[in-house]
């Protein structure tokens, strides 16, 4: 369950490590019984070494973590947009921090990554709590309300999650998952239940120095949407990252997606206009999709719109980004 293991044909441990360093997706170099393995880890915790219990193995066992999982994902899957995602004035969303990542030997970019807290993981574009040692569950039952229960007893509830939980797999390849708190909830150390994450809501309050009154994030009129900067890409590259965010109009601070979820708001991308007749693929969006990838682009100019809607479908805020694709 640690991740994807690849058997590498090398002449020794030093060469095993050197090739792992060169392969951007390799997290761990592992040497056992004179055999080299490279591990593409599901998570840093899943790849932590544990005490050996098989005494019949030889002492010739080596383990070396080359790079963490979140840096691997950023370096291997990062599609360079030509600019930094964050800087001193352009802040990252809640639970994320700005870090410099080496895309290759010549290029470095500032990207928004989940904060170093081991409990945070990016799920569907949002950094949220993920605890790998919670109750196992069946992934195919993740969205079924009938497969949730309210009481604290796990009897007769095998494979099901409690109220305010959902079943999330540790990786895309996993066929099982662990019960995690839904977006907008958190699991406290002193309780097994998922409770509303009041900490995030409180952190978004703005205290005005000239008045004792605070501006609450619950005001729908206080939200604005930023779709990001216009971009130019060159074929054969035919896809582009659309990475927007919601801000407080009053102080331009970021709004956590969990707060939007608690207020039953939707954040969705759509193709507004195009000079090309190509069918652009921006499917598989969740109800809160601040980040999507538009694929199958042809030469032309595209306008993508990011809308924040209430539960009745009325638009509260929107913004448009222009993408020019040249041959």
């Amino acid at each position: 369950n640690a991740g994807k293991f690849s058997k590498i044909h090398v002449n020794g441990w030093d060469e095993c490590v050197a090739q792992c360093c060169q392969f951007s997706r390799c997290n761990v170099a592992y040497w056992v019984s004179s055999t080299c393995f490279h591990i593409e880890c599901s998570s840093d915790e899943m790849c932590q070494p544990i005490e050996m219990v098989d005494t019949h193995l030889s002492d010739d066992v080596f383990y070396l973590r080359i790079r963490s999982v979140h840096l691997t994902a950023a370096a291997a899957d990062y599609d360079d947009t030509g600019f930094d995602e964050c800087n001193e004035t352009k802040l990252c969303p809640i639970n994320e921090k700005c870090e410099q990542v080496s895309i290759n030997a010549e290029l470095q970019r500032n990207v928004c990554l989940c904060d170093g807290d081991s409990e945070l993981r990016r799920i569907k574009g949002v950094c949220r709590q993920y605890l790998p040692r919670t109750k196992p569950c069946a992934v195919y039952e993740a969205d079924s309300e009938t497969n949730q229960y309210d009481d604290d007893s796990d009897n007769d509830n095998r494979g099901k999650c409690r109220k305010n939980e959902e079943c999330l797999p540790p990786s895309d390849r996993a066929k099982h998952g662990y019960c995690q708190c839904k977006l907008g909830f958190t699991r406290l150390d002193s309780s097994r239940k998922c409770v509303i994450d009041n900490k995030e809501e409180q952190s978004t309050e703005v205290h005005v120095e000239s008045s004792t009154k605070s501006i609450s994030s619950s005001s729908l009129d206080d939200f604005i949407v930023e779709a990001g900067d216009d971009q130019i890409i060159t074929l054969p590259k035919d896809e582009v990252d659309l990475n927007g965010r919601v801000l407080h109009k009053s102080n331009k601070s970021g709004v956590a997606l969990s707060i939007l979820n608690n207020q039953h708001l939707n954040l969705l991308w759509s193709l507004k206009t195009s000079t090309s007749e190509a069918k652009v693929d921006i499917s598989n969006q969740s109800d809160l999709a601040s980040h999507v990838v538009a694929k199958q682009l042809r030469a032309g100019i595209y306008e993508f719109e990011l809308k924040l809607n209430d539960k009745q479908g009325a638009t509260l805020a929107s913004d448009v980004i222009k993408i020019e694709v040249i041959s």
Side-chain angles (χ1 to χ4, degrees):
N1 293 331
K4 180 181 178 181
F5 286 71
S6 300
K7 186 177 180 180
I8 309 298
H9 297 284
V10 295
N11 296 321
W13 168 242
D14 290 345
E15 188 177 347
C16 179
V17 172
Q19 289 198 20
C20 185
C21 291
Q22 295 174 1
F23 181 46
S24 61
R25 291 185 180 274
C26 181
N27 299 110
V28 169
Y30 186 50
W31 180 271
V32 56
S33 300
S34 299
T35 303
C36 171
F37 292 95
H38 289 174
I39 309 176
E40 184 182 344
C41 300
S42 299
S43 68
D44 287 334
E45 185 183 32
M46 295 295 285
C47 272
Q48 289 292 334
I50 59 176
E51 184 178 359
M52 184 187 301
V53 294
D54 295 330
T55 56
H56 68 278
L57 292 175
S58 70
D59 293 333
D60 188 19
V61 178
F62 300 129
Y63 166 102
L64 182 64
R65 192 180 84 160
I66 304 298
R67 54 178 68 86
S68 65
V69 169
H70 75 279
L71 289 177
T72 302
D77 299 330
Y78 184 74
D79 190 6
D80 185 34
T81 58
F83 56 87
D84 292 332
E85 291 183 2
C86 51
N87 50 43
E88 294 81 359
T89 58
K90 188 177 182 180
L91 303 180
C92 293
I94 291 178
N95 292 334
E96 298 184 32
K97 63 179 180 179
C98 191
E99 291 190 9
Q100 190 176 76
V101 173
S102 296
I103 308 304
N104 53 49
E106 294 80 22
L107 179 62
Q108 289 185 330
R109 291 291 184 204
N110 291 340
V111 299
C112 292
L113 302 175
C114 291
D115 205 345
D117 191 335
S118 59
E119 293 184 356
L120 294 176
R121 183 180 299 184
R122 189 179 298 278
I123 302 172
K124 297 179 181 178
V126 182
C127 289
R128 51 190 285 194
Q129 184 186 51
Y130 189 94
L131 304 176
R133 289 194 172 92
T134 56
K135 181 184 176 183
C137 55
V139 174
Y140 60 86
E141 297 178 345
D143 297 325
S144 176
E145 294 293 335
T146 59
N147 288 302
Q148 296 182 347
Y149 60 98
D150 295 316
D151 56 63
D152 292 331
S153 173
D154 290 336
N155 296 334
D156 301 325
N157 289 309
R158 185 175 182 181
K160 301 179 182 179
C161 294
R162 298 182 183 86
K163 184 179 180 181
N164 299 329
E165 293 181 345
E166 60 182 324
C167 189
L168 296 175
S171 69
D172 294 338
R173 296 182 295 272
K175 297 181 179 180
H176 69 283
Y178 298 96
C179 292
Q180 305 295 329
C181 295
K182 289 184 177 180
L183 196 63
F185 294 83
T186 187
R187 197 186 309 275
L188 302 178
D189 294 337
S190 58
S191 172
R192 297 171 60 196
K193 295 182 179 180
C194 293
V195 298
I196 294 178
D197 192 358
N198 291 320
K199 181 179 67 174
E200 286 192 0
E201 294 182 356
Q202 294 170 357
S203 64
T204 59
E205 291 184 349
V206 182
H207 299 282
V208 184
E209 294 181 0
S210 60
S211 171
T212 57
K213 182 180 179 180
S214 63
I215 302 172
S216 173
S217 64
S218 61
S219 174
L220 300 182
D221 295 334
D222 188 40
F223 292 148
I224 59 175
V225 170
E226 280 192 0
D229 298 327
D230 295 341
Q231 301 181 41
I232 299 176
I233 64 173
T234 305
L235 295 173
K237 179 182 178 183
D238 63 349
E239 61 181 43
V240 64
D241 279 323
L242 303 177
N243 197 0
R245 57 179 181 166
V246 179
L247 304 174
H248 288 291
K249 186 187 301 182
S250 55
N251 70 335
K252 300 299 188 293
S253 63
V255 179
L257 294 184
S258 59
I259 294 176
L260 303 180
N261 183 66
N262 289 340
Q263 299 189 21
H264 306 289
L265 304 180
N266 293 328
L267 186 65
L268 295 173
W269 284 95
S270 63
L271 177 62
K272 187 176 182 181
T273 62
S274 170
T275 59
S276 169
E277 297 180 356
K279 294 182 179 180
V280 179
D281 181 12
I282 51 173
S283 57
N284 299 322
Q285 294 189 63
S286 64
D287 290 338
L288 290 170
S290 61
H291 174 257
V292 297
V293 178
K295 301 180 179 180
Q296 302 174 0
L297 299 176
R298 298 178 183 177
I301 299 176
Y302 301 80
E303 284 188 335
F304 293 94
E305 186 173 26
L306 181 61
K307 285 185 177 181
L308 179 66
N309 299 331
D310 62 18
K311 59 183 178 182
Q312 284 80 30
T315 300
L316 304 175
S318 66
D319 192 23
V320 175
I321 181 176
K322 183 175 72 174
I323 306 297
E324 182 178 357
V325 183
I326 58 179
S327 59

